[in-house]
């Protein structure tokens, strides 16, 4: 075999959009027309999906275990909320500032987080998130404390689409931002940078020996994940015009981990599908009683860890492999 | 002085609860975030025995510890054992799942309110010295804490069980080859850790309160003790818990606006400069 | 005489244990230099000191005339010091081509590119393909690494190191775990590397060492016992003693 005979399409195949992906992105359009009464829920799903995508970048692709990812979500929410409450209500400007604030916080904390092994990382991420929670809790004059941050005025999107009471603008806004951020993440995953992240996750000890600066790469993706989370937080603040202290709570970090492993980490669509499944289940089940819901949530986590570690996307992949195997035989 | 005394007492309580976590985390290398749930279980056992069955406080304490230890054995045998070799992430997710279930379960059985607990007469009241008011119960906690710390240290470093445990952790395969029943050692250790949590939970009802939110509310404190003390290090945990208790009480007393922020900041700073903990050996992994 | 790689009284202590004791090693540019010694002689520690996985307690590591003692591993790779591992350390779920492209990307400084796809960086891909052709790995280019036989995986180890275009290549028992016939082939491949690549080889198989090396250093108890051409080493009574002693112990 000589080198002119080699087929290089496997390297570029993944960058092309698969028909199933296009079909997936028709879902939000269909959702708009079919579920007009549930636009608020659909908006929440889009926002959580973006948040989950951000955790997928740092946990699924870079392998950094975080118990406090909500820190960046909260920073973004408060940043956008405070801007809107003080007269800078342009939504896109708010997103930008929130993303930058969270990104800076992410970069700074990456310096701390990357120093230790798994266990230290868990504690540092948790500690940072708890610190911010306490800070937001105590700085009542600025954040509103437990009562939440209110009094935001969000200006119309692009100066012409006002945020209406039916949540139509909010919905398209959230879905649009999610889509753009997803496309960026998708490019990233298939780039040399994304490849090096895969390398780090598969064999972190080997990477320095091929000349890769592991910590710089991890810091970069951690910062980016924080920026994504900040934008998701900003979206929540802007579309609900309210920031609850709960955006920084431990429960939210834990829930997000659950969503990601439910969908399947290390796969962009895993984050999205996990969110859809989880939020839909939440919507129908939590009507019963919030406490019971938490019980089922816990049980689900335990079962996933014990029996279905690769989540929904893992199941899909296994089905796919089964189909291929059947075709060969 | 009184602030320091109260701080030491609350630190001792933290030590009693956290030392079990230090054992499972440091010696068995299992990230058990559900540790607080076991402590809560001990608390509920004690409260139920006291209030419904009328069993005296001092008898309820060991029963709470034993009851929690038995629960620990049950869980270790059926669930935890499967995850010893799993990644820390899996252990975290699994134990968070348990935490959620325990919160919901406590809600269902006991309702959302704080559980009342009346101490027996001889543990109430104060001893007043010049410049120092010592609560009798707090003094009781301090004495009990010191006794348990001493006993544990002796047990891990001085007994056959301790030696077998250290051997099992360092190299399970060799330990098995030498005829040590590693599975049994791990079960016993886990039972010890959860039993201590149960005891601490029962003792803590008076000072920390007891409601379904307990496992999440205090898990950070327990983790701080382990992180700062160096996991698996009993003396380290004791000192870390005392420092934490004093800082916490003093912080809440002198700068109530800052709340728990100080403690979290101290922990993060601590982890940055001494990732192995104040008294840690090189990481045990 | 120019040296590609030198150490000057390199010392590494772990607590009270001296793993490396005043090792001064001089590897000439273009040499085929072998490092031998009985088990526990400190070969692996020395490699770790050379590549930057460990920092020495004292002494210097000099690469092509520059002190690199305190540089991180990846910085030394950038300066032309690459290595292979005694036990394969590969990327189990990447294909062979992806692995090598990734390594080439790092050398070309493309590793942080995050917008264009891997496949569109054609210079890197072409170079990786060429490297695979040289190591006769083209037919398995799209195989996932974990599905390959150990001998093939050994070649990927070498491909990853060569992707760094090293001026000095450290081979840590490249034939370990490979059947004898395949190890011959492996050494033919290694022997066929261009002469400007300096090679420091650690190997247990004395046959291979004496056939391949033009210079040998013998490491015993963390210190250099002796150094010389293969003929000198072969007839050195001290060396014989060390190896005979080991044989008796076994």
């Amino acid at each position: 075999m000589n080198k002119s005979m080699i087929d290089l399409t496997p390297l570029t195949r993944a960058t092309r959009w698969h028909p199933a992906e296009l079909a997936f992105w028709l879902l939000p359009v269909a959702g708009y027309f079919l579920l007009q009464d549930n636009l608020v829920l659909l908006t929440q799903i889009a926002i959580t999906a973006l948040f989950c995508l951000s955790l997928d970048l740092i946990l699924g692709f870079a392998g950094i275990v975080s118990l406090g990812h909500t820190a960046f979500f909260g920073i973004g929410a408060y940043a956008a909320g405070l801007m809107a409450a003080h007269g800078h209500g342009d939504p896109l400007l708010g997103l930008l500032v929130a993303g930058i604030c969270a990104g800076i916080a992410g970069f700074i904390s990456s310096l701390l987080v990357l120093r230790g092994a798994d266990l230290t990382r868990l504690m540092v991420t948790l500690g940072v998130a708890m610190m911010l929670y306490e800070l937001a809790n105590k700085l009542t004059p600025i954040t509103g404390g437990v009562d939440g941050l209110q009094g935001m005025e969000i200006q119309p999107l692009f100066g012409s689409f006002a945020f209406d009471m039916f949540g139509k603008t909010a919905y398209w806004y959230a879905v649009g931002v999610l889509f753009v951020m997803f496309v960026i993440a998708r490019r990233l995953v298939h780039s040399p940078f994304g490849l090096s992240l895969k390398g780090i996750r598969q064999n972190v000890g080997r990477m320095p020996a091929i000349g890769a600066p592991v910590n710089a790469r991890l810091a970069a993706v951690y910062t980016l994940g924080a920026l994504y989370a900040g934008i998701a937080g900003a979206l929540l603040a802007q579309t609900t015009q309210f920031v609850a202290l709960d955006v920084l709570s431990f429960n939210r970090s834990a829930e997000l981990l659950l969503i990601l492993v439910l969908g399947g980490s290390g796969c962009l669509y895993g984050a999205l599908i996990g969110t859809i499944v989880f939020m839909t289940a939440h919507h129908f089940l939590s009507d019963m009683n919030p406490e019971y819901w938490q019980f089922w949530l816990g049980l689900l986590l335990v079962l996933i860890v014990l029996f279905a570690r690769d989540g929904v996307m893992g199941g899909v992949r296994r089905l796919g492999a089964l189909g291929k195997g059947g075709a060969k035989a | 002085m009184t602030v320091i005394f109260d701080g030491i007492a609350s630190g001792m309580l933290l030590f009693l609860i956290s030392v079990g976590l230090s054992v499972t985390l440091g010696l068995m290398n299992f990230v058990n975030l559900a540790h607080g749930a076991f402590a809560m279980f001990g608390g509920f056992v004690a409260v139920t025995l006291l209030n419904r069955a009328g069993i005296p406080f001092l008898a309820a304490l060991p029963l709470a510890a034993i009851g929690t230890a038995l629960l620990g054995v049950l869980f270790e045998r059926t669930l935890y054992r499967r995850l010893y070799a799993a990644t820390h992430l899996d252990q975290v997710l699994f134990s968070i799942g348990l935490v959620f279930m325990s919160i919901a379960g406590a809600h269902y059985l006991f309702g959302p309110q704080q559980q009342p607990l009346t101490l027996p007469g001889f543990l109430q009241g104060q001893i007043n010295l010049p410049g120092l008011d010592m609560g009798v119960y707090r003094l009781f906690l301090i004495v009990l804490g010191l006794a348990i710390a001493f006993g544990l240290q002796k047990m891990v470093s001085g007994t056959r069980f301790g030696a077998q445990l250290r051997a099992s952790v360092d190299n399970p395969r060799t330990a098995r080859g030498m005829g040590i029943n590693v599975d049994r050692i791990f079960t016993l250790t886990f039972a010890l850790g959860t039993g201590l949590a149960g005891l601490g939970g029962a003792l803590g009802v008076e000072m920390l309160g007891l409601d379904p939110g307990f496992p999440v509310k205090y898990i950070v404190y327990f983790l701080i003790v382990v992180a700062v003390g160096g996991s698996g290090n009993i003396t380290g945990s004791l000192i870390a818990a005392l420092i934490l208790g004093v800082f916490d009480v003093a912080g809440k007393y002198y700068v109530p606006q800052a709340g728990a922020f100080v403690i979290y900041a101290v922990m993060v700073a601590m982890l940055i400069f001494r990732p192995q903990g104040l008294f840690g050996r090189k990481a045990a992994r | 005489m120019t040296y590609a790689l030198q150490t000057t009284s390199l010392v590494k202590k772990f607590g009270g244990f001296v793993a490396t004791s005043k090792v001064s090693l001089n590897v000439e540019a273009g040499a085929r230099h072998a490092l031998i010694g009985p088990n526990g002689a400190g070969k692996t520690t020395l490699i770790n000191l050379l590549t930057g996985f460990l920092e020495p307690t004292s002494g210097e590591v000099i690469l092509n005339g520059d002190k690199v003692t305190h540089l991180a591993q990846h910085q030394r790779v950038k300066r032309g010091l690459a290595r292979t591992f005694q036990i394969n350390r590969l990327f189990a779920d990447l294909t062979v081509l992806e692995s090598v492209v990734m390594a080439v990307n790092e050398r070309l400084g493309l590793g942080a590119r995050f917008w264009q796809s891997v496949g569109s960086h054609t210079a890197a891909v072409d170079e990786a393909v060429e490297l695979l052709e040289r190591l006769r790995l083209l037919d398995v280019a799209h195989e996932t690494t974990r599905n390959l036989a150990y001998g093939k995986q050994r070649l990927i180890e070498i491909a990853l190191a060569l992707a760094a275009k090293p001026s000095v290549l450290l081979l840590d028992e490249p034939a370990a775990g490979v059947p004898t016939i395949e190890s011959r082939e492996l050494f033919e491949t290694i022997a066929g590397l261009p002469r400007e690549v300096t090679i420091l080889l650690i190997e247990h198989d004395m046959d291979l060492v004496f056939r391949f090396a033009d210079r040998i250093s013998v490491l015993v108890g963390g210190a250099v016992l002796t150094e010389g051409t293969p003929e000198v080493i072969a007839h050195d009574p001290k060396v014989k003693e060390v190896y005979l002693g080991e044989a008796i112990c076994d």
Side-chain angles (χ1 to χ4, degrees), chain A residues 2-264:
Chain A
N2 79 35
K3 65 182 175 186
S4 60
M5 286 156 64
I6 189 164
D7 171 25
L8 289 176
T9 49
L11 278 185
T12 47
R13 194 187 299 148
T15 55
R16 252 174 269 139
W17 287 72
H18 191 277
E21 290 185 83
L22 297 176
F24 178 88
W25 285 101
L26 287 176
L27 284 179
V29 181
Y32 175 79
F33 291 107
L34 299 176
L35 300 166
Q36 283 267 338
D37 298 335
N38 292 32
L39 283 187
V40 173
L41 172 67
L42 296 186
T43 309
Q44 294 291 322
I45 293 181
I47 293 170
T48 311
L50 180 58
F51 187 25
C52 196
L53 199 61
S54 77
L55 182 66
D56 202 7
L57 283 176
I58 69 159
L59 175 66
F61 287 92
I64 303 171
V65 183
S66 168
L67 267 185
H69 196 51
T70 194
F72 309 115
F73 187 77
I75 289 176
Y78 277 111
L82 287 170
M83 280 186 60
H86 292 92
H88 303 284
D90 184 69
L92 292 178
L93 181 67
L95 278 193
L96 186 70
V97 172
I100 290 173
C101 288
I104 291 172
F107 176 70
I108 294 170
S109 53
S110 77
L111 303 178
L112 315 180
V113 170
L114 295 179
R115 288 175 59 104
D118 267 5
L119 199 54
T120 319
R121 288 178 182 179
L122 283 177
M123 306 237 205
V124 172
T125 50
L126 181 65
V128 168
M130 297 300 264
M131 248 162 80
L132 288 174
Y133 181 89
E134 278 301 312
L135 207 60
N137 187 13
K138 298 293 175 183
L139 291 176
T140 313
I142 303 171
T143 62
V146 282
D147 295 331
L149 178 66
Q150 295 170 22
M152 289 173 221
E153 273 183 45
I154 308 293
Q155 287 158 14
L157 187 59
F158 304 123
S160 43
F161 299 99
F163 284 85
D164 55 298
M165 59 179 291
F166 306 106
K168 289 182 182 172
T169 309
Y171 176 68
W172 287 118
Y173 176 50
V175 168
V177 172
L178 171 65
F179 182 69
V180 170
M181 299 305 280
F182 178 86
V183 171
I184 295 173
R186 198 178 175 284
R187 292 206 72 126
L188 185 104
V189 167
H190 294 127
S191 70
F193 179 73
L195 183 60
S196 76
L197 290 181
K198 275 186 211 159
I200 289 172
R201 207 183 36 178
Q202 288 181 28
N203 195 340
V204 66
R206 179 66 201 235
M207 290 303 279
I210 64 168
V214 170
N215 271 358
R217 295 283 153 77
L218 290 180
V221 73
Y222 195 81
T223 304
L224 189 79
L227 185 144
Y228 266 58
I231 289 179
L235 277 180
L236 181 72
Q238 292 173 345
T239 54
T240 58
Q241 313 210 348
F242 178 70
V243 182
L245 187 56
D246 156 73
V247 292
L248 285 165
S249 73
F250 169 75
N251 274 2
R252 195 178 279 266
S253 288
E255 213 171 78
L256 193 71
L257 271 173
L258 167 66
I259 298 177
L260 185 57
V261 295
L262 174 68

Side-chain angles (χ1 to χ4, degrees), chain A residues 115 123 130 138 291 298 309, chain B residues 90 104 107 220 257 267 272:
Chain A
R115 288 175 59 104
M123 306 237 205
M130 297 300 264
K138 298 293 175 183
E291 276 71 51
R309 200 40 197 87
Chain B
D90 281 2
H107 242 286
V220 184
Q257 327 63 293
M267 164 173 107
I272 293 161

Side-chain angles (χ1 to χ4, degrees), chain C residues 13 16 21 39 41 60 75 103-104 107 131 151 156 173 175 179 190 198 204 209 215 243:
Chain C
K13 294 179 187 166
S21 164
N39 283 324
E60 302 286 349
Q75 289 166 318
V104 174
R107 195 197 81 247
L131 194 53
I156 305 175
E173 298 192 28
I190 295 170
T198 308
H204 265 308
V209 167
R215 192 98 191 150
Y243 275 88

Side-chain angles (χ1 to χ4, degrees), chain C residues 33-51:
Chain C
H33 197 124
L35 189 64
I36 63 172
N39 283 324
K43 288 171 300 198
T44 304
T45 305
L46 184 57
I47 285 268
N48 285 336
L49 290 170
L50 292 175
T51 55

Side-chain angles (χ1 to χ4, degrees), chain B residues 85-99:
Chain B
T87 60
H88 279 155
L89 176 64
D90 281 2
Q91 296 172 352
V92 163
L93 292 168
F94 167 78
S95 51
I96 288 180
L98 287 188
V99 166

